[in-house]
Amino acid sequence: MFSLARLVHDVLEIAHQMASARVGGGVGVPVGVWAGYADLGQGAGLEMLEELARAGVDRVVFCPTNDPRSPTWKWQPGRARLLRGMRAAGDLGLDVWLGPWVRCDPDFMRSCGAHLAALAAEGGAVGIELDAEGTWEVTARDYARRHALRIPDAVRIAVDAMCGEIPPDLQIGATVLYWRRRACSALLRLPVVREVTTQAYSVWLPGSSKKAQSMHS
């Protein structure tokens, strides 16, 4: 029978062995999972969360919004479901992070920061992992063009707007999908962004679409 806990445990065990074998050893990086839209605060979702904690996962990233088409904030999934899962993860000793899909627009990012700051305070989140993918790139180019700015300046203005709404002890990271993209590169160069998660699945992305070609390059 398939066991999520066993699979995760075995993968982490291999990773720990590899880290120990390196010259000088090392502790590696945090191991996290993206919560998606599941309700991790009750029922089967809570059971899965408990399995992941037993298997050695360090962090759970909850996605509070994931609509790249909307220029305004929308809770997705609902706020109550997010809070249930966040509190359950905290009770299990896991680090709780928030992973919003973001747009490079100061109005959106200001609203994003205000919503996330309140949610983090209620649910015990310690960090924000900005999900900066294709939408981030497109909106950065658009904002820069409309305001006669360089893309790095557009990125800085948007992130500064968010940072003005969140407490300084809330850590900031970023998830990026594309390589060698100007707005994502600018985001990763900002001093407030302290870590990055790269969605490195290009080897499994076949075909000749623009997205596949970009990933393969």
Side-chain angles (χ1 to χ4, degrees):
M1 180 180 295
F2 173 77
S3 168
L4 175 64
R6 173 52 55 187
L7 174 63
V8 175
H9 176 273
D10 290 347
V11 170
L12 295 184
E13 187 65 26
I14 293 170
H16 291 155
Q17 291 173 4
M18 292 175 66
S20 299
R22 291 199 305 266
V23 176
V27 297
V29 297
V31 177
V33 294
W34 182 64
Y37 310 115
D39 188 344
L40 300 188
Q42 60 187 9
L46 179 56
E47 292 176 6
M48 182 179 71
L49 189 63
E50 292 168 345
E51 282 195 70
L52 290 169
R54 287 195 296 269
V57 165
D58 305 304
R59 174 186 300 179
V60 182
V61 183
F62 291 85
C63 177
T65 187
N66 193 35
D67 187 352
R69 299 162 301 177
S70 176
T72 58
W73 179 270
K74 293 181 179 179
W75 290 105
Q76 186 187 21
R79 198 176 189 279
R81 174 181 291 191
L82 287 164
L83 272 174
R84 271 197 306 271
M86 292 167 65
R87 288 167 174 163
D91 289 343
L92 291 169
L94 300 170
D95 283 342
V96 175
W97 281 59
L98 302 173
W101 186 294
V102 289
R103 301 171 63 89
C104 188
D105 175 84
D107 290 338
F108 178 88
M109 294 299 284
R110 189 173 295 108
S111 175
C112 176
H115 285 299
L116 296 186
L119 183 63
E122 289 186 59
V126 298
I128 298 172
E129 185 176 299
L130 302 174
D131 194 350
E133 302 187 25
T135 302
W136 178 259
E137 206 69 40
V138 171
T139 53
R141 290 198 300 266
D142 180 64
Y143 189 84
R145 183 178 62 253
R146 287 188 288 111
H147 296 274
L149 296 169
R150 296 168 57 249
I151 284 181
D153 293 329
V155 168
R156 175 184 50 78
I157 290 169
V159 175
D160 283 351
M162 183 194 73
C163 289
E165 302 293 331
I166 65 174
D169 59 341
L170 205 56
Q171 302 172 63
I172 300 177
T175 291
V176 293
L177 177 61
Y178 299 106
W179 285 265
R180 294 183 292 183
R181 287 293 193 253
R182 294 173 65 191
C184 284
S185 296
L187 176 64
L188 299 185
R189 291 190 180 103
L190 293 178
V192 295
V193 177
R194 305 304 300 272
E195 63 177 63
V196 58
T197 300
T198 304
Q199 297 189 36
Y201 57 72
S202 62
V203 68
W204 298 291
L205 186 66
S208 57
S209 67
K210 288 184 179 180
K211 180 176 180 178
Q213 290 179 30
S214 173
M215 297 282 285
H216 296 159
S217 72

